[in-house]
Amino acid sequence: MAQTAIDLSGIEKRYAAHAALAGVSLSIAPGEFVALVGPSGSGKTTLLKTINGLVTPDAGTVRMLGEDAGAVPVHVLRRRIGYVFQEIGLFPHLTVAENIAITPKLLGWDAERISARVANLLGLVDLPREMAGRLPAALSGGQRQRVGVARALAAEPKIMLMDEPFGALDPVTRDQLGTDYRALHEQLGLTTVMVTHDMSEAVLLADRIVVLKAGAIVADGTPGYLSNTSDDPDVRALMDAPKRQAQRLAARLSETAS
Ligand SMILES: Nc1ncnc2c1ncn2[C@@H]1O[C@H](COP(=O)(O)OP(=O)(O)OP(=O)(O)O)[C@@H](O)[C@H]1O
């Protein structure tokens, strides 16, 4: 039976008089890579946190792989869903290996299984094994984000939520991590929802782009479909941004070539 990985129906969330989410319905199929984009304050982070139970909606339902997420204890839900965000929140006094092992330890895995999993995860995120004993302060920003991805994958979740995961990195590292993560998404058969402000990243990495505006979905489709069909001027401006930038870059480089 075909099943959705994530199914949101009529989600509303208010903060005092402000509607952060004003009736969001969204179905995401297993294996999809969805980019969630939109202006600052449009509700992207609130939507992501509604999926993993960090935000409780005022109305609407969240279903995860066919199951009512409201009926699953939040700590169980969070172990089933990997979560990576910009300020990755590694524990500074724990080594890389200890940071990655937090959830497996909570799950009561034995030491041998944990150490095999840590070694496997370091390989998956392309970090050398020698880094296992380092503290986060002794890593670059990109390496820390790789550890964050490894930690989120530790308990073998099928769903990954990523909130501007590579936003604080230099462009070359960001590009590399995005490409590497997309390969992991394929390799592990994940379903990924990634919030990003970078439209090039959204177009290059995602199968599908969902645009939020003032707490509502205003566009939803493949990058090519949205680029060609949306009538909404804000969506057009968003989708045209990477193209305009690429054209301006090409023109500028040719102007300044000699
Ligand atoms: N805990 C909270 N208390 C009060 N208001 C909140 C809270 N969390 C979010 N909001 C408000 O809800 C709206 C949506 O916030 P959200 O963080 O989801 O937006 P966003 O699209 O992720 O923004 P950004 O791109 O700037 O991170 C904003 O107006 C925000 O101020």
Side-chain angles (χ1 to χ4, degrees):
M1 186 184 71
Q3 217 181 29
T4 54
I6 303 168
D7 192 52
L8 305 174
S9 176
I11 299 292
E12 294 176 22
K13 180 68 187 175
R14 304 191 71 82
Y15 291 109
H18 179 76
L21 296 173
V24 171
S25 296
L26 178 66
S27 275
I28 298 175
E32 266 192 309
F33 193 128
V34 176
L36 198 54
V37 304
S40 187
S42 55
K44 303 179 297 295
T45 295
T46 307
L47 189 59
L48 221 52
K49 289 182 172 174
T50 304
I51 297 173
N52 69 359
L54 283 172
V55 161
T56 307
D58 300 321
T61 55
V62 180
R63 295 184 74 78
M64 214 67 74
L65 297 166
E67 193 175 11
D68 179 0
V72 179
V74 170
H75 69 281
V76 175
L77 199 61
R78 288 193 203 142
R79 282 175 207 159
R80 286 189 198 163
I81 303 174
Y83 187 38
V84 182
F85 44 98
Q86 190 173 318
E87 305 305 332
I88 192 63
L90 296 179
F91 290 104
H93 57 290
L94 297 184
T95 64
V96 165
E98 288 164 343
N99 266 289
I100 295 174
I102 287 171
T103 305
K105 259 193 171 157
L106 283 172
L107 292 172
W109 293 14
D110 63 50
E112 204 175 321
R113 186 174 173 205
I114 291 179
S115 107
R117 183 74 184 135
V118 168
N120 175 252
L121 284 161
L122 286 172
L124 278 178
V125 298
D126 208 16
L127 283 175
R129 288 225 186 151
E130 308 82 80
M131 283 198 179
R134 285 207 205 161
L135 291 174
L139 301 177
S140 71
Q143 288 163 345
R144 276 199 288 274
Q145 288 309 96
R146 287 183 188 273
V147 175
V149 172
R151 185 176 66 174
L153 289 170
E156 301 179 343
K158 293 312 267 177
I159 294 172
M160 285 284 277
L161 306 179
M162 310 185 89
D163 198 345
E164 279 281 308
F166 312 130
L169 304 174
D170 71 83
V172 174
T173 308
R174 180 177 189 145
D175 194 32
Q176 188 62 55
L177 256 74
T179 308
D180 287 356
Y181 178 75
R182 174 74 217 203
L184 267 184
H185 166 94
E186 301 296 335
Q187 188 187 340
L188 302 176
L190 300 168
T191 303
T192 299
V193 185
M194 180 186 280
V195 169
T196 179
H197 283 108
D198 180 339
M199 284 309 294
S200 300
E201 187 171 74
V203 168
L204 290 171
L205 296 183
D207 303 314
R208 176 178 171 195
I209 298 179
V210 171
V211 186
L212 273 182
K213 191 161 98 179
I217 294 177
V218 290
D220 177 357
T222 62
Y225 175 81
L226 287 196
S227 174
N228 293 325
T229 57
S230 182
D231 294 333
D232 184 308
D234 292 337
V235 177
R236 284 232 69 87
L238 212 54
M239 295 306 300
D240 285 346
K243 279 190 278 184
R244 268 201 318 272
Q245 195 179 30
Q247 283 158 1
R248 279 170 41 218
L249 274 172
R252 179 81 186 129
L253 290 175
S254 94
E255 262 168 43
T256 56
S258 50

